[in-house]
Protein backbone atom coordinates (compact mmCIF):
# COMPACT_ATOMS: atom_id res chain seq x y z
CA UNK A 1 0.00 0.00 0.00
CA UNK A 2 1.44 3.35 -1.00
CA UNK A 3 0.87 5.69 1.89
CA UNK A 4 4.50 6.37 2.58
CA UNK A 5 7.30 5.39 0.22
CA UNK A 6 5.74 5.89 -3.24
CA UNK A 7 8.88 4.43 -4.80
CA UNK A 8 7.12 1.99 -7.06
CA UNK A 9 4.10 -0.15 -7.53
CA UNK A 10 5.43 -3.37 -6.13
CA UNK A 11 6.49 -2.52 -2.57
CA UNK A 12 3.95 -2.33 0.22
CA UNK A 13 1.09 -1.11 -1.94
CA UNK A 14 -2.47 -2.24 -2.53
CA UNK A 15 -2.45 -5.32 -4.73
CA UNK A 16 -4.49 -4.85 -7.89
CA UNK A 17 -7.15 -6.89 -9.64
CA UNK A 18 -8.19 -9.54 -7.14
CA UNK A 19 -11.83 -10.69 -7.06
CA UNK A 20 -11.93 -11.10 -3.32
CA UNK A 21 -10.02 -14.34 -2.83
CA UNK A 22 -13.15 -16.48 -3.02
CA UNK A 23 -15.05 -15.00 -0.07
CA UNK A 24 -18.42 -13.40 -0.58
CA UNK A 25 -17.62 -10.48 1.72
CA UNK A 26 -14.26 -9.80 0.07
CA UNK A 27 -12.38 -10.02 3.41
CA UNK A 28 -9.52 -12.45 2.79
CA UNK A 29 -7.28 -12.21 5.81
CA UNK A 30 -5.37 -8.92 6.01
CA UNK A 31 -4.30 -8.80 2.36
CA UNK A 32 -5.40 -5.63 0.61
CA UNK A 33 -6.55 -5.77 -3.00
CA UNK A 34 -8.40 -3.45 -5.34
CA UNK A 35 -9.63 -3.22 -8.89
CA UNK A 36 -10.51 0.20 -10.33
CA UNK A 37 -11.74 -0.01 -13.90
CA UNK A 38 -14.19 0.92 -16.63
CA UNK A 39 -16.47 -1.37 -18.60
CA UNK A 40 -16.75 -0.09 -22.17
CA UNK A 41 -20.45 -0.96 -22.36
CA UNK A 42 -21.22 1.30 -19.37
CA UNK A 43 -20.10 4.79 -20.45
CA UNK A 44 -20.01 7.44 -17.77
CA UNK A 45 -19.18 4.98 -15.01
CA UNK A 46 -16.09 3.94 -13.05
CA UNK A 47 -16.11 0.80 -10.92
CA UNK A 48 -14.06 -0.03 -7.83
CA UNK A 49 -14.13 -3.27 -5.86
CA UNK A 50 -11.65 -3.54 -3.02
CA UNK A 51 -10.63 -4.74 0.42
CA UNK A 52 -8.67 -2.18 2.44
CA UNK A 53 -7.14 -2.69 5.86
CA UNK A 54 -4.36 -0.15 6.44
CA UNK A 55 -5.14 2.11 3.49
CA UNK A 56 -6.70 5.46 4.36
CA UNK A 57 -8.15 7.90 1.85
CA UNK A 58 -7.16 11.51 2.54
CA UNK A 59 -9.66 14.31 2.15
CA UNK A 60 -10.67 14.46 -1.49
CA UNK A 61 -13.72 14.91 -3.73
CA UNK A 62 -15.08 13.47 -6.97
CA UNK A 63 -16.30 15.12 -10.16
CA UNK A 64 -19.28 12.75 -10.17
CA UNK A 65 -21.27 10.74 -7.64
CA UNK A 66 -20.40 7.86 -5.31
CA UNK A 67 -22.74 4.91 -4.71
CA UNK A 68 -20.96 2.32 -2.56
CA UNK A 69 -22.11 -0.99 -1.07
CA UNK A 70 -20.06 -2.16 1.91
CA UNK A 71 -19.88 -5.96 1.70
CA UNK A 72 -17.68 -6.74 4.70
CA UNK A 73 -16.13 -5.10 7.74
CA UNK A 74 -16.73 -1.44 8.58
CA UNK A 75 -15.85 1.68 6.61
CA UNK A 76 -15.60 5.03 8.38
CA UNK A 77 -16.32 7.99 6.10
CA UNK A 78 -15.49 11.51 7.25
CA UNK A 79 -18.07 13.88 5.75
CA UNK A 80 -18.88 17.56 6.33
CA UNK A 81 -21.66 16.54 8.72
CA UNK A 82 -19.54 14.12 10.75
CA UNK A 83 -18.22 10.57 10.59
CA UNK A 84 -20.41 7.76 9.23
CA UNK A 85 -19.77 4.07 9.96
CA UNK A 86 -21.00 1.81 7.19
CA UNK A 87 -21.25 -1.97 7.44
CA UNK A 88 -22.67 -4.81 5.33
CA UNK A 89 -26.09 -4.06 3.90
CA UNK A 90 -25.51 -0.31 3.84
CA UNK A 91 -25.10 2.02 0.87
CA UNK A 92 -22.94 5.15 1.04
CA UNK A 93 -24.10 8.08 -1.12
CA UNK A 94 -21.85 11.07 -1.85
CA UNK A 95 -22.58 14.00 -4.15
CA UNK A 96 -20.09 15.62 -6.54
CA UNK A 97 -17.42 17.89 -5.03
CA UNK A 98 -18.21 16.85 -1.45
CA UNK A 99 -14.91 16.53 0.41
CA UNK A 100 -14.56 13.33 2.43
CA UNK A 101 -12.11 10.82 3.89
CA UNK A 102 -12.33 7.05 4.35
CA UNK A 103 -10.61 4.46 6.53
CA UNK A 104 -11.18 1.10 8.17
CA UNK A 105 -13.45 1.07 11.21
CA UNK A 106 -12.40 -2.40 12.43
CA UNK A 107 -9.05 -4.27 12.42
CA UNK A 108 -10.05 -6.49 9.49
CA UNK A 109 -10.76 -3.42 7.36
CA UNK A 110 -13.63 -3.13 4.94
CA UNK A 111 -14.64 -4.50 1.55
CA UNK A 112 -16.93 -2.70 -0.82
CA UNK A 113 -18.26 -2.46 -4.35
CA UNK A 114 -18.45 1.13 -5.57
CA UNK A 115 -20.09 2.79 -8.55
CA UNK A 116 -18.85 6.22 -9.67
CA UNK A 117 -21.54 7.48 -12.08
CA UNK A 118 -20.92 10.76 -13.90
CA UNK A 119 -23.20 13.75 -13.52
CA UNK A 120 -24.46 13.14 -17.05
CA UNK A 121 -25.48 9.56 -16.25
CA UNK A 122 -27.31 10.54 -13.06
CA UNK A 123 -29.10 13.40 -14.81
CA UNK A 124 -30.08 11.10 -17.69
CA UNK A 125 -31.63 8.49 -15.38
CA UNK A 126 -33.36 11.20 -13.33
CA UNK A 127 -34.95 12.56 -16.51
CA UNK A 128 -36.01 9.08 -17.62
CA UNK A 129 -37.81 8.31 -14.37
CA UNK A 130 -39.24 11.83 -14.17
CA UNK A 131 -38.62 12.36 -10.46
CA UNK A 132 -36.23 15.32 -10.48
CA UNK A 133 -36.04 18.77 -11.97
CA UNK A 134 -32.57 20.15 -12.53
CA UNK A 135 -29.50 18.37 -11.17
CA UNK A 136 -30.36 15.76 -8.54
CA UNK A 137 -28.41 15.22 -5.34
CA UNK A 138 -28.52 12.61 -2.60
CA UNK A 139 -30.15 13.74 0.63
CA UNK A 140 -28.64 10.97 2.81
CA UNK A 141 -24.99 10.08 3.37
CA UNK A 142 -25.71 6.43 4.18
CA UNK A 143 -28.80 4.22 4.07
CA UNK A 144 -29.47 0.70 5.27
CA UNK A 145 -30.61 -1.07 2.12
CA UNK A 146 -29.53 -4.74 1.81
CA UNK A 147 -31.41 -5.16 -1.47
CA UNK A 148 -29.81 -2.05 -2.95
CA UNK A 149 -26.41 -3.17 -1.70
CA UNK A 150 -26.82 -6.55 -3.39
CA UNK A 151 -27.90 -4.86 -6.61
CA UNK A 152 -24.70 -2.79 -6.64
CA UNK A 153 -22.56 -5.92 -6.32
CA UNK A 154 -24.61 -7.52 -9.11
CA UNK A 155 -23.71 -4.61 -11.42
CA UNK A 156 -20.06 -5.44 -10.77
CA UNK A 157 -20.56 -9.15 -11.37
CA UNK A 158 -22.39 -8.55 -14.65
CA UNK A 159 -19.71 -6.15 -15.88
CA UNK A 160 -16.93 -8.54 -14.87
CA UNK A 161 -18.72 -11.34 -16.75
CA UNK A 162 -19.01 -9.13 -19.84
CA UNK A 163 -22.81 -9.25 -19.75
CA UNK A 164 -23.58 -5.80 -21.13
CA UNK A 165 -27.37 -6.17 -21.14
CA UNK A 166 -27.51 -7.23 -17.50
CA UNK A 167 -24.93 -4.69 -16.36
CA UNK A 168 -26.70 -1.74 -17.98
CA UNK A 169 -30.12 -2.88 -16.78
CA UNK A 170 -28.91 -3.40 -13.20
CA UNK A 171 -27.00 -0.10 -13.17
CA UNK A 172 -30.02 1.93 -14.23
CA UNK A 173 -32.13 0.08 -11.69
CA UNK A 174 -29.71 0.89 -8.87
CA UNK A 175 -29.47 4.56 -9.83
CA UNK A 176 -33.25 4.86 -10.17
CA UNK A 177 -33.71 3.18 -6.77
CA UNK A 178 -31.36 5.62 -5.04
CA UNK A 179 -32.80 8.67 -6.81
CA UNK A 180 -36.43 7.84 -6.05
CA UNK A 181 -35.73 7.04 -2.39
CA UNK A 182 -32.88 9.31 -1.36
CA UNK A 183 -32.53 12.33 -3.67
CA UNK A 184 -33.69 15.87 -4.19
CA UNK A 185 -32.26 18.99 -5.86
CA UNK A 186 -28.47 19.00 -5.61
CA UNK A 187 -27.58 20.94 -2.42
CA UNK A 188 -25.75 24.22 -2.95
CA UNK A 189 -23.03 25.16 -0.46
CA UNK A 190 -23.68 28.65 0.84
CA UNK A 191 -20.80 30.84 1.99
CA UNK A 192 -20.55 34.64 2.32
CA UNK A 193 -20.68 36.16 -1.15
CA UNK A 194 -17.31 37.92 -1.00
CA UNK A 195 -15.60 34.86 0.42
CA UNK A 196 -17.16 32.57 -2.17
CA UNK A 197 -15.96 34.81 -4.99
CA UNK A 198 -12.42 34.86 -3.62
CA UNK A 199 -12.44 31.06 -3.20
CA UNK A 200 -13.66 30.51 -6.75
CA UNK A 201 -11.04 32.91 -8.16
CA UNK A 202 -8.36 31.15 -6.12
CA UNK A 203 -9.45 27.79 -7.50
CA UNK A 204 -9.27 29.14 -11.05
CA UNK A 205 -5.71 30.38 -10.44
CA UNK A 206 -4.64 27.03 -8.99
CA UNK A 207 -6.18 25.14 -11.92
CA UNK A 208 -4.45 27.41 -14.44
CA UNK A 209 -1.06 27.29 -12.69
CA UNK A 210 -1.20 23.76 -11.36
CA UNK A 211 2.39 23.03 -12.35
CA UNK A 212 3.82 26.07 -10.53
CA UNK A 213 1.22 27.29 -8.02
CA UNK A 214 1.69 30.45 -5.95
CA UNK A 215 2.06 30.35 -2.18
CA UNK A 216 -0.97 31.16 -0.04
CA UNK A 217 0.44 34.61 0.68
CA UNK A 218 1.08 35.28 -3.02
CA UNK A 219 -2.36 34.00 -3.96
CA UNK A 220 -4.04 36.19 -1.35
CA UNK A 221 -2.09 39.24 -2.54
CA UNK A 222 -3.16 38.60 -6.14
CA UNK A 223 -6.79 38.46 -5.02
CA UNK A 224 -6.46 41.50 -2.72
CA UNK A 225 -7.36 39.63 0.44
CA UNK A 226 -5.54 38.24 3.47
CA UNK A 227 -4.09 34.71 3.65
CA UNK A 228 -6.25 33.77 6.62
CA UNK A 229 -9.45 35.13 5.05
CA UNK A 230 -8.70 33.27 1.82
CA UNK A 231 -7.90 30.05 3.66
CA UNK A 232 -11.17 30.24 5.58
CA UNK A 233 -13.23 31.08 2.48
CA UNK A 234 -11.62 28.31 0.44
CA UNK A 235 -12.20 25.71 3.16
CA UNK A 236 -15.81 26.83 3.55
CA UNK A 237 -16.40 26.61 -0.20
CA UNK A 238 -14.55 23.38 -1.06
CA UNK A 239 -14.30 21.49 2.23
CA UNK A 240 -10.49 21.49 2.35
CA UNK A 241 -7.61 23.99 2.37
CA UNK A 242 -6.03 25.06 -0.94
CA UNK A 243 -2.97 22.79 -0.72
CA UNK A 244 -5.12 19.70 -0.09
CA UNK A 245 -7.48 20.67 -2.90
CA UNK A 246 -4.51 21.17 -5.23
CA UNK A 247 -3.15 17.67 -4.57
CA UNK A 248 -6.60 16.22 -5.26
CA UNK A 249 -6.94 18.31 -8.42
CA UNK A 250 -3.54 17.16 -9.64
CA UNK A 251 -4.57 13.53 -9.22
CA UNK A 252 -7.83 14.16 -11.08
CA UNK A 253 -5.91 15.81 -13.93
CA UNK A 254 -3.41 12.93 -13.95
CA UNK A 255 -6.29 10.46 -14.32
CA UNK A 256 -7.49 12.27 -17.43
CA UNK A 257 -3.97 12.21 -18.87
CA UNK A 258 -3.57 8.50 -18.11
CA UNK A 259 -6.96 7.84 -19.70
CA UNK A 260 -5.65 9.57 -22.83
CA UNK A 261 -2.57 7.34 -22.91
CA UNK A 262 -0.01 9.71 -21.38
CA UNK A 263 2.87 7.82 -19.70
CA UNK A 264 2.78 8.16 -15.87
CA UNK A 265 6.17 9.92 -15.69
CA UNK A 266 5.02 12.56 -18.17
CA UNK A 267 1.65 12.94 -16.45
CA UNK A 268 3.38 13.45 -13.10
CA UNK A 269 5.46 16.39 -14.31
CA UNK A 270 2.59 17.90 -16.31
CA UNK A 271 0.31 18.21 -13.28
CA UNK A 272 3.03 19.50 -10.96
CA UNK A 273 4.34 16.45 -9.09
CA UNK A 274 8.12 16.27 -8.79
CA UNK A 275 8.40 12.82 -10.39
CA UNK A 276 6.56 9.55 -10.96
CA UNK A 277 7.06 8.20 -7.39
CA UNK A 278 5.48 11.43 -6.10
CA UNK A 279 2.49 10.82 -8.39
CA UNK A 280 2.35 7.14 -7.39
CA UNK A 281 2.11 7.99 -3.71
CA UNK A 282 -0.69 10.55 -3.94
CA UNK A 283 -2.54 8.75 -6.75
CA UNK A 284 -2.70 5.52 -4.74
CA UNK A 285 -3.85 7.28 -1.59
CA UNK A 286 -6.68 9.15 -3.36
CA UNK A 287 -7.79 6.72 -6.11
CA UNK A 288 -7.18 3.51 -4.16
CA UNK A 289 -4.92 1.79 -6.71
CA UNK A 290 -1.48 2.69 -8.17
CA UNK A 291 -1.33 4.38 -11.59
CA UNK A 292 -0.16 1.16 -13.27
CA UNK A 293 -3.12 -0.86 -11.97
CA UNK A 294 -5.41 2.02 -12.94
CA UNK A 295 -4.11 1.96 -16.52
CA UNK A 296 -4.42 -1.82 -16.72
CA UNK A 297 -8.02 -1.57 -15.53
CA UNK A 298 -8.76 0.85 -18.35
CA UNK A 299 -7.10 -1.35 -20.93
CA UNK A 300 -8.86 -4.51 -19.72
CA UNK A 301 -12.22 -2.75 -19.63
Amino acid sequence: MATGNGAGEGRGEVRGESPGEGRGDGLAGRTEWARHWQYAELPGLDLLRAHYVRHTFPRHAHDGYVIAAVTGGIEEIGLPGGTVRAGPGSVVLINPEVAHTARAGVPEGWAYATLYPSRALITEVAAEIGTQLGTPGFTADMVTDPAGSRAITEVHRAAEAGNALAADTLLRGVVARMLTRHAGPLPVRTVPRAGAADAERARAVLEERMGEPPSLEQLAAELDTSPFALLRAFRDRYGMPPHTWLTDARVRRARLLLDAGTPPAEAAVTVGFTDQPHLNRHFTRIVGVPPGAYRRGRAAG
Side-chain angles (χ1 to χ4, degrees):
M1 177 187 67
T3 57
N5 59 48
E9 294 182 7
R11 297 210 309 261
E13 293 186 341
V14 176
R15 282 199 301 119
E17 297 105 15
S18 168
E21 313 288 336
R23 288 184 53 173
D25 59 5
L27 298 179
R30 298 183 66 83
T31 299
E32 296 190 318
W33 58 268
R35 185 188 187 195
H36 194 297
W37 68 300
Q38 288 181 326
Y39 179 42
E41 302 299 329
L42 296 178
L45 180 75
D46 275 23
L47 300 105
L48 170 66
R49 200 148 67 91
H51 171 212
Y52 296 119
V53 180
R54 300 173 305 280
H55 187 80
T56 60
F57 287 89
R59 192 161 300 280
H60 66 288
H62 299 277
D63 294 324
Y65 297 76
V66 179
I67 304 176
V70 177
T71 57
I74 298 291
E75 179 189 14
E76 287 190 351
I77 308 100
L79 292 157
T83 299
V84 171
R85 287 173 58 87
S90 61
V91 177
V92 177
L93 302 168
I94 303 177
N95 290 318
E97 302 298 342
V98 172
H100 59 285
T101 62
R103 64 181 183 182
V106 289
E108 62 268 28
W110 85 97
Y112 63 173
T114 305
L115 307 174
Y116 297 103
S118 66
R119 296 181 190 229
L121 176 58
I122 292 289
T123 302
E124 176 187 338
V125 175
E128 288 177 352
I129 61 179
T131 60
Q132 302 294 332
L133 295 176
T135 304
F138 296 123
T139 56
D141 299 324
M142 184 197 68
V143 297
T144 300
D145 186 354
S149 179
R150 286 193 298 272
I152 292 168
T153 62
E154 288 169 1
V155 174
H156 278 259
R157 292 194 183 100
E160 289 161 1
N163 188 335
L165 179 60
D168 195 11
T169 302
L170 291 164
L171 171 63
R172 291 176 183 275
V174 166
V175 172
R177 180 186 183 94
M178 297 304 152
L179 289 177
T180 54
R181 297 182 177 211
H182 312 294
L186 186 65
V188 177
R189 294 178 62 87
T190 57
V191 295
R193 188 174 184 83
D198 287 342
E200 289 165 4
R201 289 165 60 203
R203 171 173 173 158
V205 171
L206 293 176
E207 286 181 330
E208 182 180 351
R209 292 151 58 183
M210 188 173 290
E212 297 182 4
S215 68
L216 179 63
E217 185 173 357
Q218 292 169 335
L219 184 58
E222 288 183 30
L223 301 178
D224 195 25
T225 185
S226 73
F228 182 75
L230 179 59
L231 175 61
R232 181 173 56 190
F234 199 98
R235 184 183 287 118
D236 288 345
R237 178 66 178 86
Y238 298 110
M240 54 187 120
H243 71 281
T244 303
W245 180 90
L246 179 60
T247 298
D248 185 34
R250 283 172 165 167
V251 169
R252 291 199 219 182
R253 183 79 58 82
R255 286 182 62 179
L256 295 177
L257 292 173
L258 294 175
D259 288 346
T262 304
E266 181 181 338
V269 176
T270 300
V271 302
F273 289 120
T274 55
D275 52 24
Q276 186 174 342
H278 193 196
L279 168 66
N280 289 350
R281 181 169 67 253
H282 289 293
F283 193 100
T284 305
R285 292 179 67 221
I286 290 174
V287 180
V289 297
Y294 177 85
R295 294 181 77 198
R296 289 192 297 273
R298 261 47 184 172

